[in-house]
Amino acid sequence: MHAHHGARRPAATRVTLLTEGTYPHSHGGVSVWCDQLVQGMPDLDFEVVAVTGTGREPVVWELPPQVSRVHAVPMWGAPPEGRPPRGRVRNRLAAAYERFLTALLDPCAEDGFAPALYTMARAAADGVLSPFLRGDRAIAVLTAIWNRPGLAVREARPTLHDALTATGLLEHALRPLAAPLPRGGVAHAVSGGVAVLPGLAALERHGIPLLLTEHGVYLRERYLGYRTAPYRWPVKAVVLGFFRLLAEESYRRAALITPGNRYNRLWEEQGGADPESIRTVYNGVDPAAFPPAGPEPGVPTLSWAGRVDPIKDLETLIRAFALVRERLPEARLRLFGGTPRGGEGYRERCQALAAELGHADAVTFEGRVEDIREAYAAGNVVMLSSISEGFPFTLIEAMSCGRATVSTDVGGVREAVGDAGLVVPPRDPAAMAAAALELLGDPVRRRATGEAARLRVIEQFTLRRTIDTFHSLYLDLSALPRRAGTGGPRPTGTGDAPALSARAATRPHAPADTRTRSVAL
């Protein structure tokens, strides 16, 4: 699906954003970040290759003229157009697929992953990969491999149903390889995982430099998600093997990796990234768009903002609130944010938990609000209970609004908060309740914490700094000599605060975007 917007400006540096489930088809923190980048750089030309669900999702962001095209790649809609391969083409693809699967299942054969992946990428461009993966030959290749003596997966006695399931999941996961590839400028993957696939193919085919930004750690989140997925172990071995080797290939081949926090850096280095290629770039907000929130509510209130999703661990927050209410019977918990399609069961489970604990009257699910500042102003203390985060927008926005926060110690949270808020272990209702009670019971400390939080945002996490840094990186990467088939040359310079190029200092500035966002869906 193509959406054209505005006229192309041949002289502008081109940036192709590679997204999955975010900009420009949904709301949420990563989508806000993408919108900030494109709004803040009117002198560059942006395209978006967006991995979506069914392909029927509408564009929900107003695209500025510098976004010239959006190409949606549906993971779960109708399969890509194409025809089954025949003859020698089919045999070559079957051989590459065998090498690919062997790499996923045999630790001694992992070197075969990358060459097989790029052979499959060319097959996807020719329209034959998806039809091949939907045929009997692909099933036969997998069943033959995982029944080989010596492979651990064989001990789990994989079934034909497992083979059909695993092959189907891989077919969907590899669909982004059929997307149109960037041919100039920079490819910027704004998450790890399947969004990176067109960027890796463009690097291999055309030498386009790949910039990778991870807000959360994609591989870690897949591990967390697949713990409870309804698949047998042989299926999980194939799919998680794919995500692990894809992460390692992405880290090795990216010209530059810009994690949103230092915590992610540990995963990236463990996954094979060259430490010289990693530069931390924090998310930023416009402090003028998130001014002090004003008077606190008269009733002791905890507020939370985000999408209603298991990774946000609202059960722990509700259990912590029950403990708070034992000490403060008048306390309230207000939860702001939409429920993604398919997540209704999780919201109902959380509502049932509140009722079971006897607090249904005091826990309210308020849905999306048009102005997220209302969510922060609604609480004396703003809570974050996630089991996985990158560098969460809701946290730095609440801090900018001058509210005291209690957050779980995940991802880049501790880097964001510093001494300007309380941080507790994840999945620990007692610790979370104790921290909330500490702040609710001490108005002077609460006010001082909120003031320190806003000052910290102004000093370290402004939107202007983020935009200037990425503008500089785009120009520097675009100037690199292009070499197809290699990782390409890396830009010089390391560290967590990359020096801005002279070009960034003299470029035309867009006014900082002062629009406030609505709570993530």
Side-chain angles (χ1 to χ4, degrees):
M1 182 185 113
H2 299 267
H4 291 272
H5 184 87
R8 178 170 300 288
R9 296 157 301 157
T13 292
R14 185 187 309 175
V15 178
T16 303
L17 293 180
L18 307 174
T19 71
E20 180 193 352
T22 56
Y23 186 83
H25 296 93
S26 73
H27 298 280
V30 176
S31 297
V32 170
W33 183 85
C34 292
D35 183 63
Q36 289 175 343
L37 288 190
V38 299
Q39 295 282 356
M41 303 186 200
D43 57 321
L44 303 190
D45 180 19
F46 287 87
E47 294 186 0
V48 186
V49 176
V51 177
T52 65
T54 63
R56 295 191 294 273
E57 295 83 359
V59 170
V60 298
W61 289 88
E62 185 179 334
L63 301 179
Q66 57 266 34
V67 178
S68 59
R69 184 176 74 151
V70 175
H71 182 92
V73 183
M75 284 263 289
W76 299 100
E81 293 179 7
R83 67 206 179 284
R86 302 190 182 283
R88 281 182 301 176
V89 172
R90 184 171 186 247
N91 292 336
R92 274 201 304 271
L93 181 51
Y97 188 56
E98 180 180 354
R99 191 176 186 191
F100 174 82
L101 290 174
T102 304
L104 306 188
L105 296 168
D106 183 351
C108 299
E110 291 180 359
D111 287 353
F113 175 81
L117 179 69
Y118 297 121
T119 300
M120 291 160 61
R122 288 181 181 267
D126 294 337
V128 297
L129 179 61
S130 179
F132 171 79
L133 293 175
R134 298 197 312 276
D136 292 343
R137 180 80 176 267
I139 304 291
V141 171
L142 176 55
T143 53
I145 288 170
W146 67 16
N147 284 308
R148 284 179 190 162
L151 288 189
V153 72
R154 188 183 188 212
E155 307 306 315
R157 299 184 181 279
T159 65
L160 179 59
H161 182 267
D162 292 334
L164 289 164
T165 303
T167 307
L169 290 170
L170 285 179
E171 188 273 318
H172 286 283
L174 291 166
R175 286 185 183 185
L177 288 174
L181 302 184
R183 286 181 167 271
V186 180
H188 184 180
V190 304
S191 78
V194 298
V196 184
L197 288 169
L200 287 172
L203 172 60
E204 182 71 15
R205 294 278 294 275
H206 309 302
I208 304 300
L210 175 63
L211 172 61
L212 172 60
T213 298
E214 287 197 294
H215 296 273
V217 179
Y218 191 95
L219 181 60
R220 178 175 184 268
E221 290 174 0
R222 296 291 82 69
Y223 284 151
L224 286 170
Y226 270 81
R227 280 170 60 181
T228 55
Y231 306 121
R232 294 184 70 240
W233 185 71
V235 177
K236 294 182 182 182
V238 169
V239 177
L240 291 175
F242 166 66
F243 284 126
R244 181 176 63 82
L245 294 183
L246 177 60
E248 291 177 4
E249 178 67 2
S250 303
Y251 295 154
R252 275 197 303 267
R253 299 294 299 274
L256 194 64
I257 302 168
T258 52
N261 56 73
R262 291 192 185 102
Y263 170 85
N264 289 11
R265 183 186 189 111
L266 302 176
W267 277 80
E268 290 158 354
E269 290 185 9
Q270 187 68 32
D274 178 357
E276 299 282 308
S277 72
I278 306 174
R279 303 184 194 177
T280 303
V281 183
Y282 292 116
N283 294 345
V285 299
D286 179 2
F290 293 91
E296 294 185 352
V299 176
T301 303
L302 305 179
S303 71
W304 172 92
R307 71 181 187 279
V308 178
D309 185 277
I311 214 156
K312 304 299 182 182
D313 194 12
L314 295 179
E315 296 106 320
T316 290
L317 178 54
I318 291 167
R319 291 182 191 280
F321 175 68
L323 298 174
V324 167
R325 227 175 164 214
E326 289 176 9
R327 292 264 302 277
L328 297 172
E330 71 276 26
R332 296 286 178 269
L333 173 60
R334 301 181 65 183
L335 305 166
F336 296 87
T339 304
R341 186 178 302 169
E344 296 80 8
Y346 179 70
R347 186 189 65 224
E348 289 160 11
R349 206 158 74 238
C350 292
Q351 290 169 324
L353 176 62
E356 179 191 320
L357 295 172
H359 303 292
D361 59 320
V363 177
T364 52
F365 285 77
E366 315 214 5
R368 278 188 75 207
V369 282
E370 280 309 307
D371 187 344
I372 197 173
R373 293 176 299 190
E374 294 174 19
Y376 307 133
N380 306 79
V381 178
V382 177
M383 310 295 289
L384 184 141
S385 52
S386 306
I387 56 172
S388 180
E389 283 287 354
F391 194 80
F393 268 104
T394 52
L395 184 56
I396 53 175
E397 287 170 354
M399 290 168 64
S400 182
C401 289
R403 284 296 194 249
T405 60
V406 173
S407 314
T408 44
D409 190 5
V410 294
V413 164
R414 192 174 286 277
E415 293 164 59
V417 173
D419 297 327
L422 300 184
V423 178
V424 298
R427 291 194 171 111
D428 188 339
M432 186 175 287
L437 284 165
E438 220 176 290
L439 289 170
L440 288 172
D442 189 342
V444 174
R445 182 180 178 191
R446 197 167 64 239
R447 192 176 310 113
T449 301
E451 288 170 359
R454 178 164 172 81
L455 188 61
R456 183 170 174 82
V457 169
I458 291 168
E459 288 176 348
Q460 297 194 36
F461 307 127
T462 61
L463 174 57
R464 181 82 274 146
R465 176 185 287 200
T466 305
I467 290 173
D468 284 347
T469 298
F470 275 103
H471 189 278
S472 165
L473 296 178
Y474 288 155
L475 295 181
D476 291 345
L477 290 173
S478 293
L480 292 176
R482 281 162 55 174
R483 297 190 307 181
T486 72
R490 296 197 185 281
T492 57
T494 62
D496 290 330
L500 303 183
S501 68
R503 284 170 293 187
T506 57
R507 72 181 181 85
H509 277 271
D513 185 6
T514 56
R515 297 171 302 164
T516 54
R517 66 184 180 94
S518 50
V519 156
L521 280 177

